[in-house]
């Protein structure tokens, strides 16, 4: 199959959409993020890249803590709003009901079905962003999105982001079992 070189600016797709909660300058703040990934299983670590201008990044640097709230499609508008304005100009937490877990500085949006408390352990300076490496301390979930105690994506109804078309998408059809459907290609 022929291939065309389309440059070097690449967006991993799709990306999860989360709302990052911090305590910045002593007050709760929330922002939307998509540049994040799991990087270690046990103990669980993730990495998230935040622009150096983000008020949220300031909060993580102040307290070393943050939370990820996972919205369902019902909170898509809220999640988009949290990514449109900066917390040092607008009080985005004003009308948000906050769930507080065990960490002091990791506010979770109560309306979001899943909340993940994180403790930052390392910060890597990138040219314009901070890459925060963080250990997951606790995961909280609303009972209605669980099946046998585990998060069920069908019940959670998450959405994902694609760039550069800047679109949100619901999950599509389940196409098979991971670590399984490829077995058909294993040679005896
Ligand atoms: C869907 C979406 C995803 C975003 N992902 C990120 C991200 O991963 N990192 C980042 O620094 N900004 C990201 N942003 C931009 C911030 O959310 C936005 O600049 C926000 O206003 C920052 O808020 P704050 O200054 O209160 O922290 C995203 C925005 C949207 C709408």
């Amino acid at each position: 199959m022929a291939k065309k070189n389309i440059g070097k600016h690449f967006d991993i797709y799709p990306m999860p959409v989360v709302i990052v909660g911090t305590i910045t300058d002593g007050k709760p703040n929330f922002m939307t993020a998509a540049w994040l990934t799991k990087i270690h299983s046990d103990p669980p670590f993730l990495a998230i890249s935040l622009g150096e201008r983000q008020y949220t990044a300031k909060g993580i640097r102040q307290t070393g803590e943050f939370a990820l709230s996972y919205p369902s499609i019902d909170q898509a508008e809220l999640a988009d709003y949290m990514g449109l304005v900066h917390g040092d100009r607008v009080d985005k937490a004003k009308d948000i009901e906050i769930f507080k877990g065990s960490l002091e500085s990791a506010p979770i949006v109560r309306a979001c079905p899943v909340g993940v408390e994180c403790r930052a352990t390392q910060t890597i300076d990138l040219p314009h962003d901070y890459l925060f490496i963080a250990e997951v301390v606790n995961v909280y979930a609303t009972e209605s999105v669980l099946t046998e105690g585990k998060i069920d994506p069908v019940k959670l109804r998450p959405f994902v982001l694609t760039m550069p078309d800047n679109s949100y998408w619901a999950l599509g059809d389940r196409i098979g079992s991971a670590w399984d459907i490829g077995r058909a290609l294993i040679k005896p």
Side-chain angles (χ1 to χ4, degrees), residues 29-35 49-51 53-56 80 82-87 92 161 168:
N29 184 54
F30 296 99
M31 79 158 247
T32 309
W35 299 2
S49 175
L50 302 186
R53 191 262 172 259
Q54 313 302 24
Y55 196 50
T56 301
D80 196 60
M82 296 298 189
L84 287 171
V85 291
H86 289 286
K92 289 184 268 183
L161 168 73
Y168 299 122

Side-chain angles (χ1 to χ4, degrees), residues 52-108:
E52 60 193 1
R53 191 262 172 259
Q54 313 302 24
Y55 196 50
T56 301
K58 184 179 181 190
I60 299 175
R61 290 170 69 82
Q62 287 173 345
T63 69
E65 296 177 358
F66 64 95
L68 306 180
S69 298
Y70 271 80
S72 77
I73 56 177
D74 298 330
Q75 291 92 38
E77 202 174 280
L78 177 73
D80 196 60
Y81 164 71
M82 296 298 189
L84 287 171
V85 291
H86 289 286
D88 49 0
R89 298 199 187 136
V90 180
D91 181 359
K92 289 184 268 183
K94 189 160 59 82
D95 299 318
I96 299 295
E97 195 182 325
I98 291 173
F99 171 82
K100 185 176 169 297
S102 69
L103 297 183
E104 270 314 302
S105 305
I108 292 165

